[in-house]
Amino acid sequence: MKPAPTEGDVQLVRAQARYVRTSARKARLVCDHIRGKSVEEARAILAHANRQVAEDWSKLLESAVANAEHNHELIGEDLKIHAVYADEGPTLKRFRPRAMGRATQIRKRTSHLSIALTPKEQ
């Protein structure tokens, strides 16, 4: 079993969700609420967040916790969120017909979600 990557003296467990069909701006509105919180607090916040992307963040958080438990033998309840961010992914470009034979571009944005967990200090 290989050790988790470290940043300085802190053990990190990471998870990523790529090509999520939401804009990075909308995803950042949710991730700002859970940054620095414990896993239990973050679960509660995401369960009651009134945004569709909160479900994607929740799945990603559970994936990171499962990575910590399975790969690094950490206890899922004793983790906190070290870093969480949403980067822009590629944009799907589509066209919609408009009046007088014109067409306008529709941009369907995607994002890459990332989360890093670390053990709480006892």
Side-chain angles (χ1 to χ4, degrees), residues 11-13 39 61 64-65 79-82 115-119:
Q11 184 179 19
L12 294 179
V13 179
V39 169
L61 176 63
V65 170
L79 298 171
K80 71 173 189 170
I81 296 176
H82 178 75
I115 193 165
L117 304 178
T118 186

Side-chain angles (χ1 to χ4, degrees), residues 45-70:
I45 290 167
L46 293 172
H48 294 93
N50 195 18
R51 292 204 172 257
Q52 191 173 8
V53 72
E55 188 177 323
D56 295 317
W57 278 117
S58 183
K59 285 176 71 172
L60 186 61
L61 176 63
E62 295 307 320
S63 174
V65 170
N67 288 345
E69 290 173 347
H70 185 264

